[in-house]
Amino acid sequence: MKKQVLISSFLIMFLFTTTSGQSPAQSPSQNPVVKPAPQTPAQAPAAKPALVQPPTPPVLPAPTLAPSAEPLVHSPPRKAPKPAPPNVTDILDKASGFSVFIRLLHNTDVINQIENQLNSSNSMTILAPTNGGFSSLKGGILNSLTPEQKVQLLQFHILPSFLSLQNFETVTNPVRTQASNTEDYPMNITTEGSFVNISTGIVNTTISGTVYADNQLAIYRVDSVLLPMGIFAPKVDSPSPSPSPDPAPVPAPVKPKKEASASASASASSPSNSSSSALKPSPKTNSSSASALISPVAALDESGAAGHVRSVGIAFGVILLGQFL
């Protein structure tokens, strides 16, 4: 025990000398720090458990409001995409037997008119003639048509509205087509039971089947080409006017002789002589001479001369007869 006290005092002295030598500026009045003597492990007090402080939670920023998913101004609803119109060429090609009709539609650009009309949500009905219908035509009849006539021929097979087989019972004749007009291009459609008859004035045929039908487009099969009157009507030769008959020649009036005119003036100057001679009985004269004298007047009467010429001739005859008296 004494040894321990001596050791502790020695340590205290050693520490005091070391601290005084290292800090000379320290005031002498300050009491030196006396550290307790180290204790043996048997005499060391039990260490107190250190207080464990709970971790402080991290400071989170104030939550911001999430943007609203609903827009302030509602956009108009999107329209459903418009369905593509039916392809007439594909329909006829799949049905087979319409290659001539398809070729004419492309060569005349009528197929473009059909597609534009179907894209505009318009409806139509097509009366499609088969290849057999074209082969029954006279040879070269299509080549003899002008481009405009070919277009009119194809448009004559297109009706500008959708017609089901039941609608043909209520159509008004003549039916309107896409050709020029119903006067030059008439078409009459009648029904007898389940048969639909078509008449153009040149061709009579029936609808032999349905190729395609929906609420916009209807394509029907016909076994003959529908020939319109405006293109294939027989031409009637107009009668040539008969020549008018030549008018009958009018004979020239006969000029009186100078002697007759002189005697007429003399008789006019002397009315007494003429009156006296007229009172005397006339002798019998030869009939041939009288007829010779009157023959110019008769000729004028037979030729249809004017009345005043006839009266003048009679006056001359009377004057000549008076000279023979």
Side-chain angles (χ1 to χ4, degrees):
M1 188 68 184
K2 292 180 180 181
K3 291 181 179 180
Q4 293 179 355
V5 173
L6 292 174
I7 293 171
S8 59
S9 60
F10 178 76
L11 290 174
I12 292 171
M13 291 296 293
F14 179 76
L15 292 173
F16 176 76
T17 56
T18 53
T19 53
S20 61
Q22 292 180 359
S23 55
Q26 189 176 1
S27 61
S29 61
Q30 187 177 2
N31 296 326
V33 178
V34 179
K35 292 184 179 180
Q39 299 179 359
T40 58
Q43 296 178 356
K48 295 182 179 180
L51 297 177
V52 179
Q53 297 180 355
T56 57
V59 180
L60 298 177
T64 56
L65 297 176
S68 176
E70 184 177 358
L72 298 178
V73 179
H74 295 278
S75 61
R78 294 182 180 180
K79 295 182 180 180
K82 184 179 178 180
N87 193 312
V88 175
T89 303
D90 291 344
I91 294 172
L92 293 174
D93 192 20
K94 291 179 181 178
S96 70
F98 300 96
S99 59
V100 179
F101 187 59
I102 294 173
R103 185 174 69 250
L104 289 175
L105 289 176
H106 284 283
N107 292 341
T108 57
D109 291 335
V110 175
I111 189 63
N112 295 333
Q113 301 176 8
I114 294 175
E115 292 176 353
N116 293 335
Q117 184 171 347
L118 293 177
N119 285 327
S120 302
S121 299
N122 294 333
S123 59
M124 68 171 54
T125 300
I126 300 177
L127 304 173
T130 60
N131 294 340
F134 282 101
S135 61
S136 62
L137 297 175
K138 295 181 179 179
I141 190 171
L142 293 178
N143 295 330
S144 64
L145 301 179
T146 63
E148 292 78 11
Q149 289 176 337
K150 290 180 180 179
V151 171
Q152 292 293 324
L153 174 62
L154 295 179
Q155 290 180 343
F156 188 65
H157 291 74
I158 302 174
L159 310 182
S161 60
F162 171 80
L163 293 175
S164 63
L165 292 177
Q166 291 77 16
N167 295 141
F168 285 113
E169 299 177 359
T170 59
V171 295
T172 302
N173 290 317
V175 178
R176 187 168 64 93
T177 66
Q178 287 192 347
S180 296
N181 51 59
T182 56
E183 295 180 0
D184 297 334
Y185 298 83
M187 178 185 292
N188 296 323
I189 298 179
T190 57
T191 58
E192 294 180 3
S194 59
F195 294 96
V196 179
N197 302 320
I198 303 174
S199 176
T200 67
I202 299 178
V203 175
N204 296 321
T205 186
T206 59
I207 292 178
S208 59
T210 302
V211 180
Y212 179 86
D214 59 11
N215 294 328
Q216 184 181 13
L217 174 66
I219 303 177
Y220 299 106
R221 179 194 303 267
V222 291
D223 296 329
S224 300
V225 180
L226 305 178
L227 304 179
M229 293 286 292
I231 300 177
F232 300 97
K235 296 181 180 180
V236 180
D237 297 334
S238 59
S240 58
S242 58
S244 59
D246 296 334
V250 178
V254 178
K255 294 182 180 181
K257 296 180 180 181
K258 293 181 180 181
E259 295 178 353
S261 61
S263 61
S265 61
S267 61
S269 60
S270 57
S272 59
N273 295 334
S274 61
S275 61
S276 61
S277 61
L279 294 175
K280 294 181 181 180
S282 60
K284 295 181 178 181
T285 58
N286 191 3
S287 61
S288 62
S289 61
S291 62
L293 293 173
I294 302 174
S295 60
V297 178
L300 289 174
D301 292 338
E302 294 177 357
S303 62
H308 68 279
V309 178
R310 187 185 302 114
S311 61
V312 172
I314 294 173
F316 282 127
V318 173
I319 296 171
L320 292 176
L321 288 175
Q323 291 179 358
F324 286 98
L325 297 177

